[in-house]
Amino acid sequence: MSRDVEKALADWLAGGGDRIGEIVIARVPEGWELRHAEDAGHADLALHAQPEAARHLANLDAAGNFRPLKTVPTLVRGWRLVLGDIAAVRRALDYFYPAMTGAWLSHTRGELVPVVLRETLGRQTGMYRVTQKLTDPQARELIDRVCAGCLKHRLWEIAAANPSSPAFPAGSLPLLCHEACNLLVAQAREVVKKAERAVT
Amino acid sequence: MLAKPDSALVIVGHGSTVNPDSSAPTFDHAEALRVRGVFGEVHCAFWKEEPSFRQVLHMVGRDDIYVVPNFISEGYFTTTVIPRELELDGALTRRGGRVIKYCEPTGNDPRMTDLLLRRAAEIAPGVDPAQTSLLIVGHGTGLNENSAVAAKREVERIAARGLYAEVLNAYMEEEPLIAKWDEYSTQPNVVVVPFFISDGLHSYEDIPVLLGIAGASPGAASAGGREVFQRNPYHLRGRTLFYASAIGTEPLFADVILEQVAAFDAVHAA
Ligand code: SF4
């Protein structure tokens, strides 16, 4: 296997890593325990033991709304997930924060190539082709609005790679955004459509 | 039996920003295949959800990667969006030491006919097919123009088996309209199966309203979601009507996904 995400995760945990997004990971006699960071010290948590439980825990926010973007900090509280091995921890994290362990490994290997917004929009076809009309000020406003509510660190800019290098707290696994998500692209469409309606 | 411990499987679906049921069957099939241990690793990716098409290849450890689109037909997504977003060169892509094998969409599989028949029999137990009209519901035309073609193909295949008194297509926004089901179906029993990859607003709300088995007020049917499939049979317009959930929720879809991999190998001599 040319890329071993599980080994990278195991090394990170062994090196004292204990935090990813809103989740804290702790060594327990049974293996590993994941819980919401704000539930640290709580005893009355619902116990889960299968990595697949993470998929259902990550699905809806506390108000019952679907969470299409998992790095929006609306993960529900009140649970703990105890897993026996690293493979299970990795699977659970792939549900809680899809692709983030893999993207981080790619980043450390220099393989996570940031794609600037203009390139992402320039590639769109069908109903999203219109996003190519997004102006720079509109893009700026959109990024400030949408990405502000997301825990990922943006590696891209509107027309250039984001020069600010990620400064992550020690022990925290970085959540990296190497390219605008579909939610942002869909919002870009709304912005362009709205501006077009305003002039007609 | 297929055994590919050195290969990864990536199942790609459409997903939704509002409804978790859109990606649920794809995740379910991935889980089922993971448990079977056919592949060294199994991942999902979605256009509208995470992991995204642009992220998923970073999750993969193995260099031999099968990509199976969980879509009801070939169309805009399988021919344009997925190849573009995954940067595929065609059926076979070699890049950076990796081989990416792009398979046919699940809905193209010849087994679809059996799955539809199975679903139809399951929801109407003890009902005589010789006195039953079977309606296969498809998306209309539009960007996904081929899904209507796929639905027509399935109707022809099922009709050719001669089991049901009649087998008909129905669409939400074009003729033959679902809403007029009682006008063009002739049998005392009517079985309705959506030829969709997943349940969602269409199957929970829109189709039930068109069929007349749920109120038209927004949220009337969706409040119960899946419940609409549990109240069979419905007695209305002088008929007995049975309404099934989307065909893509059928657990045997996991086998259909494997079949796409086997078919790829057969064509490209692994
Ligand atoms: S574009 Fe990236 S940073 Fe912005 S909201 Fe989407 S995932 Fe988060």
Side-chain angles (χ1 to χ4, degrees), chain B residues 129-148:
Chain B
Q131 298 196 336
T132 303
S133 305
L134 175 58
L135 265 62
I136 305 297
V137 177
H139 281 290
T141 48
L143 264 185
N144 263 318
E145 69 283 356
N146 289 311
S147 67

mmCIF file with all atom_site columns, all heavy atoms in Angstrom, chain B residues 129-148:
data_model
loop_
_atom_site.group_PDB
_atom_site.id
_atom_site.type_symbol
_atom_site.label_atom_id
_atom_site.label_alt_id
_atom_site.label_comp_id
_atom_site.label_asym_id
_atom_site.label_entity_id
_atom_site.label_seq_id
_atom_site.pdbx_PDB_ins_code
_atom_site.Cartn_x
_atom_site.Cartn_y
_atom_site.Cartn_z
_atom_site.occupancy
_atom_site.B_iso_or_equiv
_atom_site.pdbx_formal_charge
_atom_site.auth_seq_id
_atom_site.auth_comp_id
_atom_site.auth_asym_id
_atom_site.auth_atom_id
_atom_site.pdbx_PDB_model_num
ATOM 1   N N   . PRO B 1 129 ? -50.032 -11.428 -10.036 1.00 0.00 ? 129 PRO B N   1
ATOM 2   C CA  . PRO B 1 129 ? -49.501 -10.517 -11.067 1.00 0.00 ? 129 PRO B CA  1
ATOM 3   C C   . PRO B 1 129 ? -50.384 -10.478 -12.314 1.00 0.00 ? 129 PRO B C   1
ATOM 4   O O   . PRO B 1 129 ? -50.428 -9.461  -13.002 1.00 0.00 ? 129 PRO B O   1
ATOM 5   C CB  . PRO B 1 129 ? -48.132 -11.105 -11.398 1.00 0.00 ? 129 PRO B CB  1
ATOM 6   C CG  . PRO B 1 129 ? -47.782 -11.987 -10.247 1.00 0.00 ? 129 PRO B CG  1
ATOM 7   C CD  . PRO B 1 129 ? -49.072 -12.484 -9.676  1.00 0.00 ? 129 PRO B CD  1
ATOM 8   N N   . ALA B 1 130 ? -51.112 -11.570 -12.562 1.00 0.00 ? 130 ALA B N   1
ATOM 9   C CA  . ALA B 1 130 ? -51.963 -11.611 -13.755 1.00 0.00 ? 130 ALA B CA  1
ATOM 10  C C   . ALA B 1 130 ? -53.131 -10.639 -13.639 1.00 0.00 ? 130 ALA B C   1
ATOM 11  O O   . ALA B 1 130 ? -53.835 -10.380 -14.618 1.00 0.00 ? 130 ALA B O   1
ATOM 12  C CB  . ALA B 1 130 ? -52.467 -13.037 -13.989 1.00 0.00 ? 130 ALA B CB  1
ATOM 13  N N   . GLN B 1 131 ? -53.345 -10.127 -12.402 1.00 0.00 ? 131 GLN B N   1
ATOM 14  C CA  . GLN B 1 131 ? -54.407 -9.125  -12.220 1.00 0.00 ? 131 GLN B CA  1
ATOM 15  C C   . GLN B 1 131 ? -53.818 -7.820  -11.689 1.00 0.00 ? 131 GLN B C   1
ATOM 16  O O   . GLN B 1 131 ? -54.441 -7.121  -10.892 1.00 0.00 ? 131 GLN B O   1
ATOM 17  C CB  . GLN B 1 131 ? -55.455 -9.644  -11.236 1.00 0.00 ? 131 GLN B CB  1
ATOM 18  C CG  . GLN B 1 131 ? -56.148 -10.889 -11.731 1.00 0.00 ? 131 GLN B CG  1
ATOM 19  C CD  . GLN B 1 131 ? -57.429 -11.160 -10.966 1.00 0.00 ? 131 GLN B CD  1
ATOM 20  O OE1 . GLN B 1 131 ? -57.591 -10.725 -9.831  1.00 0.00 ? 131 GLN B OE1 1
ATOM 21  N NE2 . GLN B 1 131 ? -58.330 -11.873 -11.600 1.00 0.00 ? 131 GLN B NE2 1
ATOM 22  N N   . THR B 1 132 ? -52.595 -7.575  -12.108 1.00 0.00 ? 132 THR B N   1
ATOM 23  C CA  . THR B 1 132 ? -51.887 -6.415  -11.560 1.00 0.00 ? 132 THR B CA  1
ATOM 24  C C   . THR B 1 132 ? -51.230 -5.587  -12.662 1.00 0.00 ? 132 THR B C   1
ATOM 25  O O   . THR B 1 132 ? -50.620 -6.134  -13.580 1.00 0.00 ? 132 THR B O   1
ATOM 26  C CB  . THR B 1 132 ? -50.794 -6.893  -10.567 1.00 0.00 ? 132 THR B CB  1
ATOM 27  O OG1 . THR B 1 132 ? -51.415 -7.672  -9.552  1.00 0.00 ? 132 THR B OG1 1
ATOM 28  C CG2 . THR B 1 132 ? -50.048 -5.730  -9.949  1.00 0.00 ? 132 THR B CG2 1
ATOM 29  N N   . SER B 1 133 ? -51.353 -4.256  -12.525 1.00 0.00 ? 133 SER B N   1
ATOM 30  C CA  . SER B 1 133 ? -50.582 -3.346  -13.380 1.00 0.00 ? 133 SER B CA  1
ATOM 31  C C   . SER B 1 133 ? -49.339 -2.944  -12.598 1.00 0.00 ? 133 SER B C   1
ATOM 32  O O   . SER B 1 133 ? -49.446 -2.500  -11.468 1.00 0.00 ? 133 SER B O   1
ATOM 33  C CB  . SER B 1 133 ? -51.376 -2.070  -13.689 1.00 0.00 ? 133 SER B CB  1
ATOM 34  O OG  . SER B 1 133 ? -52.624 -2.396  -14.258 1.00 0.00 ? 133 SER B OG  1
ATOM 35  N N   . LEU B 1 134 ? -48.179 -3.105  -13.216 1.00 0.00 ? 134 LEU B N   1
ATOM 36  C CA  . LEU B 1 134 ? -46.922 -2.708  -12.564 1.00 0.00 ? 134 LEU B CA  1
ATOM 37  C C   . LEU B 1 134 ? -46.444 -1.406  -13.194 1.00 0.00 ? 134 LEU B C   1
ATOM 38  O O   . LEU B 1 134 ? -46.227 -1.326  -14.403 1.00 0.00 ? 134 LEU B O   1
ATOM 39  C CB  . LEU B 1 134 ? -45.876 -3.812  -12.725 1.00 0.00 ? 134 LEU B CB  1
ATOM 40  C CG  . LEU B 1 134 ? -44.463 -3.509  -12.197 1.00 0.00 ? 134 LEU B CG  1
ATOM 41  C CD1 . LEU B 1 134 ? -44.485 -3.161  -10.715 1.00 0.00 ? 134 LEU B CD1 1
ATOM 42  C CD2 . LEU B 1 134 ? -43.541 -4.703  -12.446 1.00 0.00 ? 134 LEU B CD2 1
ATOM 43  N N   . LEU B 1 135 ? -46.290 -0.370  -12.359 1.00 0.00 ? 135 LEU B N   1
ATOM 44  C CA  . LEU B 1 135 ? -45.823 0.933   -12.837 1.00 0.00 ? 135 LEU B CA  1
ATOM 45  C C   . LEU B 1 135 ? -44.394 1.180   -12.384 1.00 0.00 ? 135 LEU B C   1
ATOM 46  O O   . LEU B 1 135 ? -44.104 1.148   -11.192 1.00 0.00 ? 135 LEU B O   1
ATOM 47  C CB  . LEU B 1 135 ? -46.703 2.053   -12.263 1.00 0.00 ? 135 LEU B CB  1
ATOM 48  C CG  . LEU B 1 135 ? -47.860 2.557   -13.125 1.00 0.00 ? 135 LEU B CG  1
ATOM 49  C CD1 . LEU B 1 135 ? -48.851 1.438   -13.399 1.00 0.00 ? 135 LEU B CD1 1
ATOM 50  C CD2 . LEU B 1 135 ? -48.556 3.724   -12.420 1.00 0.00 ? 135 LEU B CD2 1
ATOM 51  N N   . ILE B 1 136 ? -43.515 1.410   -13.344 1.00 0.00 ? 136 ILE B N   1
ATOM 52  C CA  . ILE B 1 136 ? -42.130 1.763   -13.020 1.00 0.00 ? 136 ILE B CA  1
ATOM 53  C C   . ILE B 1 136 ? -41.998 3.277   -13.183 1.00 0.00 ? 136 ILE B C   1
ATOM 54  O O   . ILE B 1 136 ? -42.178 3.815   -14.275 1.00 0.00 ? 136 ILE B O   1
ATOM 55  C CB  . ILE B 1 136 ? -41.137 1.038   -13.977 1.00 0.00 ? 136 ILE B CB  1
ATOM 56  C CG1 . ILE B 1 136 ? -41.367 -0.483  -13.948 1.00 0.00 ? 136 ILE B CG1 1
ATOM 57  C CG2 . ILE B 1 136 ? -39.697 1.402   -13.621 1.00 0.00 ? 136 ILE B CG2 1
ATOM 58  C CD1 . ILE B 1 136 ? -41.118 -1.163  -12.631 1.00 0.00 ? 136 ILE B CD1 1
ATOM 59  N N   . VAL B 1 137 ? -41.697 3.936   -12.075 1.00 0.00 ? 137 VAL B N   1
ATOM 60  C CA  . VAL B 1 137 ? -41.616 5.396   -12.095 1.00 0.00 ? 137 VAL B CA  1
ATOM 61  C C   . VAL B 1 137 ? -40.187 5.837   -12.377 1.00 0.00 ? 137 VAL B C   1
ATOM 62  O O   . VAL B 1 137 ? -39.251 5.376   -11.718 1.00 0.00 ? 137 VAL B O   1
ATOM 63  C CB  . VAL B 1 137 ? -42.071 5.985   -10.739 1.00 0.00 ? 137 VAL B CB  1
ATOM 64  C CG1 . VAL B 1 137 ? -41.910 7.509   -10.743 1.00 0.00 ? 137 VAL B CG1 1
ATOM 65  C CG2 . VAL B 1 137 ? -43.510 5.598   -10.453 1.00 0.00 ? 137 VAL B CG2 1
ATOM 66  N N   . GLY B 1 138 ? -40.028 6.717   -13.360 1.00 0.00 ? 138 GLY B N   1
ATOM 67  C CA  . GLY B 1 138 ? -38.698 7.247   -13.674 1.00 0.00 ? 138 GLY B CA  1
ATOM 68  C C   . GLY B 1 138 ? -38.674 8.754   -13.525 1.00 0.00 ? 138 GLY B C   1
ATOM 69  O O   . GLY B 1 138 ? -39.724 9.395   -13.469 1.00 0.00 ? 138 GLY B O   1
ATOM 70  N N   . HIS B 1 139 ? -37.458 9.302   -13.407 1.00 0.00 ? 139 HIS B N   1
ATOM 71  C CA  . HIS B 1 139 ? -37.326 10.755  -13.495 1.00 0.00 ? 139 HIS B CA  1
ATOM 72  C C   . HIS B 1 139 ? -37.710 11.118  -14.913 1.00 0.00 ? 139 HIS B C   1
ATOM 73  O O   . HIS B 1 139 ? -37.569 10.319  -15.820 1.00 0.00 ? 139 HIS B O   1
ATOM 74  C CB  . HIS B 1 139 ? -35.861 11.175  -13.277 1.00 0.00 ? 139 HIS B CB  1
ATOM 75  C CG  . HIS B 1 139 ? -35.465 11.181  -11.847 1.00 0.00 ? 139 HIS B CG  1
ATOM 76  N ND1 . HIS B 1 139 ? -35.935 12.097  -10.956 1.00 0.00 ? 139 HIS B ND1 1
ATOM 77  C CD2 . HIS B 1 139 ? -34.651 10.372  -11.147 1.00 0.00 ? 139 HIS B CD2 1
ATOM 78  C CE1 . HIS B 1 139 ? -35.416 11.857  -9.772  1.00 0.00 ? 139 HIS B CE1 1
ATOM 79  N NE2 . HIS B 1 139 ? -34.630 10.805  -9.852  1.00 0.00 ? 139 HIS B NE2 1
ATOM 80  N N   . GLY B 1 140 ? -38.130 12.333  -15.108 1.00 0.00 ? 140 GLY B N   1
ATOM 81  C CA  . GLY B 1 140 ? -38.452 12.751  -16.462 1.00 0.00 ? 140 GLY B CA  1
ATOM 82  C C   . GLY B 1 140 ? -37.180 12.998  -17.246 1.00 0.00 ? 140 GLY B C   1
ATOM 83  O O   . GLY B 1 140 ? -36.098 12.590  -16.846 1.00 0.00 ? 140 GLY B O   1
ATOM 84  N N   . THR B 1 141 ? -37.308 13.677  -18.371 1.00 0.00 ? 141 THR B N   1
ATOM 85  C CA  . THR B 1 141 ? -36.133 14.011  -19.163 1.00 0.00 ? 141 THR B CA  1
ATOM 86  C C   . THR B 1 141 ? -35.421 15.200  -18.528 1.00 0.00 ? 141 THR B C   1
ATOM 87  O O   . THR B 1 141 ? -35.606 15.477  -17.373 1.00 0.00 ? 141 THR B O   1
ATOM 88  C CB  . THR B 1 141 ? -36.548 14.354  -20.610 1.00 0.00 ? 141 THR B CB  1
ATOM 89  O OG1 . THR B 1 141 ? -37.622 15.264  -20.530 1.00 0.00 ? 141 THR B OG1 1
ATOM 90  C CG2 . THR B 1 141 ? -36.956 13.112  -21.349 1.00 0.00 ? 141 THR B CG2 1
ATOM 91  N N   . GLY B 1 142 ? -34.611 15.912  -19.280 1.00 0.00 ? 142 GLY B N   1
ATOM 92  C CA  . GLY B 1 142 ? -33.834 16.999  -18.699 1.00 0.00 ? 142 GLY B CA  1
ATOM 93  C C   . GLY B 1 142 ? -32.378 16.607  -18.747 1.00 0.00 ? 142 GLY B C   1
ATOM 94  O O   . GLY B 1 142 ? -31.974 15.824  -19.598 1.00 0.00 ? 142 GLY B O   1
ATOM 95  N N   . LEU B 1 143 ? -31.600 17.114  -17.826 1.00 0.00 ? 143 LEU B N   1
ATOM 96  C CA  . LEU B 1 143 ? -30.167 16.802  -17.813 1.00 0.00 ? 143 LEU B CA  1
ATOM 97  C C   . LEU B 1 143 ? -29.917 15.307  -17.749 1.00 0.00 ? 143 LEU B C   1
ATOM 98  O O   . LEU B 1 143 ? -28.948 14.801  -18.269 1.00 0.00 ? 143 LEU B O   1
ATOM 99  C CB  . LEU B 1 143 ? -29.500 17.462  -16.613 1.00 0.00 ? 143 LEU B CB  1
ATOM 100 C CG  . LEU B 1 143 ? -28.833 18.809  -16.874 1.00 0.00 ? 143 LEU B CG  1
ATOM 101 C CD1 . LEU B 1 143 ? -28.112 19.281  -15.643 1.00 0.00 ? 143 LEU B CD1 1
ATOM 102 C CD2 . LEU B 1 143 ? -27.859 18.705  -18.051 1.00 0.00 ? 143 LEU B CD2 1
ATOM 103 N N   . ASN B 1 144 ? -30.831 14.607  -17.056 1.00 0.00 ? 144 ASN B N   1
ATOM 104 C CA  . ASN B 1 144 ? -30.654 13.170  -16.889 1.00 0.00 ? 144 ASN B CA  1
ATOM 105 C C   . ASN B 1 144 ? -31.485 12.396  -17.902 1.00 0.00 ? 144 ASN B C   1
ATOM 106 O O   . ASN B 1 144 ? -32.110 11.413  -17.562 1.00 0.00 ? 144 ASN B O   1
ATOM 107 C CB  . ASN B 1 144 ? -31.060 12.765  -15.477 1.00 0.00 ? 144 ASN B CB  1
ATOM 108 C CG  . ASN B 1 144 ? -29.848 12.681  -14.589 1.00 0.00 ? 144 ASN B CG  1
ATOM 109 O OD1 . ASN B 1 144 ? -28.820 12.170  -15.005 1.00 0.00 ? 144 ASN B OD1 1
ATOM 110 N ND2 . ASN B 1 144 ? -29.978 13.180  -13.382 1.00 0.00 ? 144 ASN B ND2 1
ATOM 111 N N   . GLU B 1 145 ? -31.451 12.853  -19.141 1.00 0.00 ? 145 GLU B N   1
ATOM 112 C CA  . GLU B 1 145 ? -32.370 12.311  -20.141 1.00 0.00 ? 145 GLU B CA  1
ATOM 113 C C   . GLU B 1 145 ? -32.328 10.789  -20.222 1.00 0.00 ? 145 GLU B C   1
ATOM 114 O O   . GLU B 1 145 ? -33.327 10.152  -20.509 1.00 0.00 ? 145 GLU B O   1
ATOM 115 C CB  . GLU B 1 145 ? -32.114 12.940  -21.512 1.00 0.00 ? 145 GLU B CB  1
ATOM 116 C CG  . GLU B 1 145 ? -30.830 12.591  -22.202 1.00 0.00 ? 145 GLU B CG  1
ATOM 117 C CD  . GLU B 1 145 ? -29.607 13.325  -21.645 1.00 0.00 ? 145 GLU B CD  1
ATOM 118 O OE1 . GLU B 1 145 ? -29.749 14.186  -20.747 1.00 0.00 ? 145 GLU B OE1 1
ATOM 119 O OE2 . GLU B 1 145 ? -28.513 13.017  -22.097 1.00 0.00 ? 145 GLU B OE2 1
ATOM 120 N N   . ASN B 1 146 ? -31.176 10.193  -19.928 1.00 0.00 ? 146 ASN B N   1
ATOM 121 C CA  . ASN B 1 146 ? -31.066 8.745   -20.083 1.00 0.00 ? 146 ASN B CA  1
ATOM 122 C C   . ASN B 1 146 ? -31.802 7.951   -19.015 1.00 0.00 ? 146 ASN B C   1
ATOM 123 O O   . ASN B 1 146 ? -32.009 6.762   -19.165 1.00 0.00 ? 146 ASN B O   1
ATOM 124 C CB  . ASN B 1 146 ? -29.609 8.326   -20.098 1.00 0.00 ? 146 ASN B CB  1
ATOM 125 C CG  . ASN B 1 146 ? -28.939 8.756   -21.382 1.00 0.00 ? 146 ASN B CG  1
ATOM 126 O OD1 . ASN B 1 146 ? -29.475 8.522   -22.458 1.00 0.00 ? 146 ASN B OD1 1
ATOM 127 N ND2 . ASN B 1 146 ? -27.803 9.408   -21.279 1.00 0.00 ? 146 ASN B ND2 1
ATOM 128 N N   . SER B 1 147 ? -32.165 8.610   -17.905 1.00 0.00 ? 147 SER B N   1
ATOM 129 C CA  . SER B 1 147 ? -32.849 7.844   -16.869 1.00 0.00 ? 147 SER B CA  1
ATOM 130 C C   . SER B 1 147 ? -34.242 7.439   -17.333 1.00 0.00 ? 147 SER B C   1
ATOM 131 O O   . SER B 1 147 ? -34.745 6.382   -16.967 1.00 0.00 ? 147 SER B O   1
ATOM 132 C CB  . SER B 1 147 ? -32.894 8.611   -15.547 1.00 0.00 ? 147 SER B CB  1
ATOM 133 O OG  . SER B 1 147 ? -33.715 9.735   -15.671 1.00 0.00 ? 147 SER B OG  1
ATOM 134 N N   . ALA B 1 148 ? -34.859 8.288   -18.163 1.00 0.00 ? 148 ALA B N   1
ATOM 135 C CA  . ALA B 1 148 ? -36.163 7.921   -18.722 1.00 0.00 ? 148 ALA B CA  1
ATOM 136 C C   . ALA B 1 148 ? -35.993 6.746   -19.683 1.00 0.00 ? 148 ALA B C   1
ATOM 137 O O   . ALA B 1 148 ? -36.809 5.819   -19.714 1.00 0.00 ? 148 ALA B O   1
ATOM 138 C CB  . ALA B 1 148 ? -36.790 9.111   -19.425 1.00 0.00 ? 148 ALA B CB  1
#
